[in-house]
Amino acid sequence: MRRIALAERPDWRARAADCGFGFHTIDDAPYWDESAYYAFSLREIEHDIESPTEELHAMALDMVERIVGSEQLMQQLAIPEPYRDWIAESWRRREPHLYGRLDFAYDGRGPARLYELNYDTPTSLFEAAFFQWQWLEDQLARGQLPAGSDQFNSIQESLVEAFGTIARGIARPFHFAAVRDSNEDQGTIAYLRDCALQAGIECGTLAIEDIGISEDGRFTDLDDQVIGCLFKLYPLEDLFRETFGPYLPRSGLQLIEPPWKALLSNKGILPLLWDAHRGHPNLLPAEFDEGGALPRGWVRKPLHSREGANIAMHLDDGRELRTDGPYDGPCIRQACHPLTAFDGHYPLIGSWVVGDRACGMGIREDSSLVTQDSARFVPHAIVEEARGVLIA
Amino acid sequence: MKRSRTAALLLMGTAPLLLTACDRNEAREGLYTSVEACVAQTNDSSTCNQAFAKAEQEAVATAPRFANREECEASYGKEKCAERSDGNNHSFFGPLMTGFFLSQMMRNGVAANGFNSAPAFRDSTGGWQRPAAGGASGGVYRGGTAGTAMVPINATPNRAITTSRSGFGRSSGSRGFGS
């Protein structure tokens, strides 16, 4: 794994505009960054990323089975009582899920270590699945990458295939919803909707704020049609505590991601996985946080936090880092395993699971140890190895 | 190869990433029972003929499969099923194609190049269905179901009077809710 500087495609902004990628620059700061790329060997991808991803995904699904059978575990994960039976039932019925992203610390010199599962509202999807793919094709065509370079990225193919597979199980009408004013989230649902259309599924989009409720407690769209299935790029735990939340369990509304994903997008899954698979090379030691001072070598994360917010980190050398954010509530502790710097940047691997298949990767790098929403998306390539030497 | 063989977009890029009302009419979709009906609607006999031929070709491979004629006719009606066989001399019964589905992207009122088509089948209750794309492979999910997923066409929506809106979406995030 290496970070390699490469000239940008001269026309990448036009390419972005052509495919509707509107959030490549956010608040005047670059988000898409192709001034460099990360080069991996095929072995690194298959052995260190792809195969652990599938294994951890399977371990996580097994854990759901355990949690839904235990009031005590539901309590530990701070799942609100009125939603527990509904969540358990959604698992028993195996309500279809679509995707998730595992975040790994990885530098090519040891096993990838799982930071967390983003199994409810993962983003950076369009960038990884489509725009990164186009970057590789363009740079290959321009002769800027070694011939035969590849990419760990069949995300789009897998998304279309997944939609096709679950099509029969999706209630109609089917809408994709996100908050109205987030360009990034709107871009992500526009992309997912595109993939669903490619699978032959009729579907629309809707602002999450526009969802209505009828007198008999069913959810409606702007045409007063009862929504059959809602893909919501909006955290389950936020839906739970908002005004319409209490209607969810009896509304008949199908959700993607389904309610049982609330058990996996919860950082409490990390100590549970560690407990069940202590010493697993891809897991970091983790425990529920009982309060008190954070010892050296540990990181504190709220059960629910996104974009690296509200993280406290006490490094081995005594330095303490803390990020701001809106989240509070119960926390977990995870052994501190800082990201490795590449040319002063800290890359975090986002490894995608679509359906149950590990199918691709996106890298976001930040200038600090905690990857936040200031991170930039940097493309990657798999480059040929010859005589044990990476050519690039 | 570890990457997608192709990655195309249908609607993204042809329209700004804005919401609902304005992005509804970019696809022209139709269900036709004959090439003639298709031409009458679209005035494009070349596309209609190609769409029909492609749908007919796919019909055998994507139609639901039944072990015997009785089961098939129970779902699709009397004399609406035919015996078929796959490449390995296994025979089964499947419904006959009773229509085809054509969708084209429209730009400024003109059909763009390329189209999607799919066979359509009418079940014994009169409802139309078509196979979901990719449904036959199913390899992306563990323990996926066998056979092709069928998607209802134009399911009649349920309506209900909305009494309030804006009950979701008030939690604040820095720039979105994805993670």
Side-chain angles (χ1 to χ4, degrees):
Chain A
M1 173 180 177
R2 292 182 305 149
R3 188 181 194 276
I4 298 170
L6 182 69
E8 298 178 350
R9 290 168 293 168
D11 62 343
W12 76 261
R13 282 179 179 79
R15 299 285 274 158
D18 283 348
C19 62
F21 181 20
F23 53 99
H24 56 74
T25 304
I26 299 175
D27 298 337
D28 296 325
Y31 168 58
W32 170 264
D33 181 357
E34 60 175 74
S35 64
Y37 70 99
Y38 284 88
F40 294 83
S41 69
L42 184 59
R43 187 186 149 77
E44 285 174 329
I45 292 295
E46 293 189 332
H47 184 267
D48 296 347
I49 305 293
E50 183 179 17
S51 130
T53 298
E54 297 226 331
E55 187 184 352
L56 293 172
H57 174 75
M59 283 157 52
L61 293 195
D62 288 346
M63 191 56 71
V64 174
E65 181 73 29
R66 269 190 54 196
I67 299 168
V68 296
S70 161
E71 274 295 307
Q72 186 242 328
L73 290 177
M74 289 264 200
Q75 179 71 39
Q76 218 164 8
L77 296 181
I79 303 294
E81 205 283 325
Y83 298 98
R84 290 179 190 170
D85 289 345
W86 176 61
I87 288 171
E89 183 58 22
S90 80
W91 172 252
R92 272 180 221 113
R93 293 152 50 101
R94 294 295 188 279
E95 286 183 12
H97 62 293
L98 181 66
Y99 70 156
R101 194 190 74 229
L102 294 82
D103 285 348
F104 286 119
Y106 179 71
D107 63 4
R109 289 192 287 276
R113 304 290 196 146
L114 179 69
Y115 269 13
E116 60 187 55
L117 303 175
N118 291 283
Y119 264 40
D120 180 22
T121 58
T123 52
S124 76
L125 179 70
F126 175 78
E127 308 82 290
F130 186 86
F131 206 62
Q132 170 178 239
W133 182 91
Q134 202 174 58
W135 167 85
L136 186 96
E137 294 288 334
D138 287 351
Q139 295 290 40
L140 275 174
R142 298 174 66 232
Q144 298 299 303
L145 289 170
S149 293
D150 198 0
Q151 193 170 74
F152 179 33
N153 180 14
S154 62
I155 303 171
Q156 178 161 333
E157 260 177 19
S158 301
L159 284 169
V160 175
E161 191 183 333
F163 275 121
T165 309
I166 63 177
R168 186 165 41 179
I170 296 178
R172 313 299 156 93
F174 178 33
H175 289 300
F176 289 84
V179 284
R180 193 192 316 278
D181 294 330
S182 166
N183 286 336
E184 193 182 359
D185 290 0
Q186 287 295 333
T188 302
I189 62 165
Y191 176 62
L192 281 164
R193 179 189 175 219
D194 207 288
C195 291
L197 286 170
Q198 292 184 39
I201 300 176
E202 288 159 62
C203 50
T205 57
L206 184 69
I208 201 109
E209 295 91 338
D210 282 340
I211 293 171
I213 193 83
S214 68
E215 212 165 28
D216 58 353
R218 294 183 295 164
F219 290 101
T220 56
D221 64 17
L222 285 171
D223 296 329
D224 277 0
Q225 289 183 5
V226 175
I227 303 169
C229 180
L230 185 74
F231 177 97
K232 50 50 329 68
L233 191 61
Y234 195 79
L236 283 163
E237 69 271 13
D238 287 343
L239 293 179
F240 294 171
R241 59 194 174 79
E242 295 188 1
T243 318
F244 284 175
Y247 292 104
L248 281 167
R250 275 175 296 281
S251 66
L253 178 68
Q254 180 186 11
L255 290 177
I256 296 179
E257 296 300 307
W260 57 265
K261 281 292 191 93
L263 308 174
L264 296 179
S265 64
N266 183 306
K267 294 196 179 57
I269 193 71
L270 297 166
L272 297 181
L273 283 175
W274 177 251
D275 248 10
H277 305 276
R278 203 166 276 266
H280 190 287
N282 301 113
L283 292 176
L284 291 166
E287 59 193 39
F288 285 93
D289 183 64
E290 308 292 343
L294 186 66
R296 277 189 189 198
W298 287 87
V299 180
R300 180 185 287 137
K301 305 176 173 184
L303 291 187
H304 297 118
S305 90
R306 281 169 166 74
E307 301 287 1
N310 300 96
I311 305 289
M313 189 182 270
H314 197 166
L315 296 164
D316 285 328
D317 63 12
R319 274 187 299 153
E320 293 192 59
L321 304 175
R322 200 172 289 272
T323 59
D324 294 334
Y327 303 101
D328 49 17
C331 294
I332 62 132
R333 288 175 183 181
Q334 187 182 48
C336 189
H337 180 85
L339 297 171
T340 302
F342 287 73
D343 304 333
H345 306 283
Y346 295 96
L348 178 72
I349 308 279
S351 179
W352 287 93
V353 174
V354 173
D356 299 314
R357 176 194 291 160
C359 61
M361 187 170 91
I363 298 173
R364 286 173 308 150
E365 55 171 44
D366 213 326
S367 51
S368 92
L369 279 174
V370 182
T371 310
Q372 297 178 72
D373 59 10
S374 50
R376 286 158 297 108
F377 190 102
V378 180
H380 81 274
I382 304 171
V383 296
E384 292 292 328
E385 272 179 284
R387 299 191 199 96
V389 180
L390 282 175
I391 302 171
Chain B
M1 194 157 93
K2 305 290 284 182
R3 69 182 188 277
S4 298
R5 286 172 295 264
T6 59
L9 299 172
L10 279 181
L11 292 185
M12 278 186 83
T14 62
L17 294 183
L18 294 175
L19 267 190
T20 55
C22 55
D23 74 348
R24 284 184 184 175
N25 297 316
E26 287 147 5
R28 178 170 69 193
E29 299 177 325
L31 169 66
Y32 307 104
T33 51
S34 66
V35 172
E36 291 70 32
C38 175
V39 176
Q41 178 74 40
T42 63
N43 215 6
D44 182 352
S45 79
S46 155
T47 301
C48 288
N49 274 299
Q50 288 177 54
F52 177 81
K54 183 166 164 274
E56 207 173 29
Q57 226 172 41
E58 285 171 13
V60 173
T62 56
R65 298 181 173 194
F66 297 89
N68 56 57
R69 186 180 294 275
E70 291 67 39
E71 279 180 37
C72 181
E73 290 190 341
S75 295
Y76 290 91
K78 261 207 150 356
E79 287 166 30
K80 297 285 164 46
C81 294
E83 184 167 11
R84 317 210 186 266
S85 82
D86 63 18
N88 305 317
N89 285 328
H90 294 133
S91 81
F92 57 88
F93 289 83
L96 296 163
M97 175 172 122
T98 41
F100 67 102
F101 190 83
L102 167 66
S103 69
Q104 287 170 290
M105 289 304 126
M106 305 298 287
R107 290 186 192 159
N108 305 321
V110 180
N113 285 334
F115 65 89
N116 272 324
S117 74
F121 305 93
R122 202 156 193 203
D123 67 22
S124 55
T125 66
W128 288 91
Q129 316 174 325
R130 63 171 167 161
S137 49
V140 72
Y141 287 96
R142 218 162 279 158
T145 50
T148 304
M150 298 300 285
V151 186
I153 299 171
N154 282 341
T156 316
N158 237 326
R159 298 186 76 85
I161 307 292
T162 302
T163 53
S164 78
R165 298 195 190 274
S166 306
F168 284 137
R170 72 171 161 73
S171 301
S172 66
S174 50
R175 81 175 190 226
F177 290 85
S179 49

